[in-house]
Amino acid sequence: MDKEPKTLLDLTSEQIEELDRIKEESPMKLSQEAWMTPEVMARETVEILETSGNPTALIAANIIRREFSI
């Protein structure tokens, strides 16, 4: 990756597939509660991505932190 993406829309389809795999393989799962706000879901997603240690996941986690002011 030449330049770090600034938004999630800047990720390539391969990177998005990689993030989907990380999410599916993670022992941590997003809560499925109806009351969850986008901010709560973003926090849980960041936690899942950060625990993977994958470079693409860490970039995505940083983008989500920035976009949701976490």
Side-chain angles (χ1 to χ4, degrees):
M1 185 169 25
D2 298 333
K3 191 172 92 173
E4 186 171 310
K6 298 292 182 207
T7 71
L8 294 177
L9 296 174
D10 295 334
L11 296 174
T12 65
S13 58
E14 291 84 13
Q15 290 171 316
I16 292 170
E17 287 173 12
E18 187 175 0
L19 295 175
D20 285 341
R21 253 191 325 279
I22 289 167
K23 186 181 79 171
E24 292 301 317
E25 294 171 0
S26 173
M28 300 169 59
K29 299 295 177 200
L30 287 175
S31 300
Q32 299 297 315
E33 304 296 326
W35 56 266
M36 288 193 44
T37 64
E39 291 79 12
V40 171
M41 291 180 73
R43 270 190 236 113
E44 287 189 3
T45 300
V46 165
E47 189 174 342
I48 290 170
L49 294 174
E50 287 181 338
T51 58
S52 76
N54 177 289
T56 300
L58 296 176
I59 290 169
N62 286 336
I63 292 169
I64 293 168
R65 281 179 184 274
R66 210 172 32 248
E67 289 182 1
F68 283 90
S69 301
I70 297 174

